[in-house]
Amino acid sequence: MELAKKGDLIYIPSDVRLVDKDEFGATIDYILLKKPANLLVVGANNDAYEVLYKQKKWFVEKRNTYGVTYD
């Protein structure tokens, strides 16, 4: 998959963990998706995308995501 950029949608399957991190990169909260979701990318770093989910920013590991195709 090509790397997603800010403004792209990505597909995240169920049972994938979304994490919230503090300014030092330490995990302060997490949730496990119960259903698959298409989420908006609002940022990225080397290993993770920053996405919006339920009006909050979360990080998801890039290896757990898939691109969304526009047919």
Side-chain angles (χ1 to χ4, degrees):
M1 165 184 143
E2 278 187 33
L3 294 178
K5 57 189 178 306
K6 187 175 181 178
D8 288 346
L9 286 177
I10 56 174
Y11 173 81
I12 303 172
S14 60
D15 296 325
V16 170
R17 186 177 304 208
L18 303 180
V19 297
D20 186 15
K21 298 183 178 187
D22 65 13
E23 62 271 9
F24 303 108
T27 299
I28 56 175
D29 194 12
Y30 73 92
I31 57 172
L32 199 61
L33 288 180
K34 294 181 182 179
K35 294 191 279 188
N38 290 317
L39 301 180
L40 179 67
V41 175
V42 295
N45 62 30
N46 290 339
D47 301 326
Y49 292 119
E50 188 175 17
V51 296
L52 285 178
Y53 180 71
K54 295 193 176 182
Q55 301 177 345
K56 187 174 176 185
K57 293 180 181 179
W58 298 89
F59 288 95
V60 59
E61 291 182 0
K62 289 180 180 179
R63 64 188 175 104
N64 294 326
T65 67
Y66 300 90
V68 174
T69 58
Y70 305 96
D71 293 336

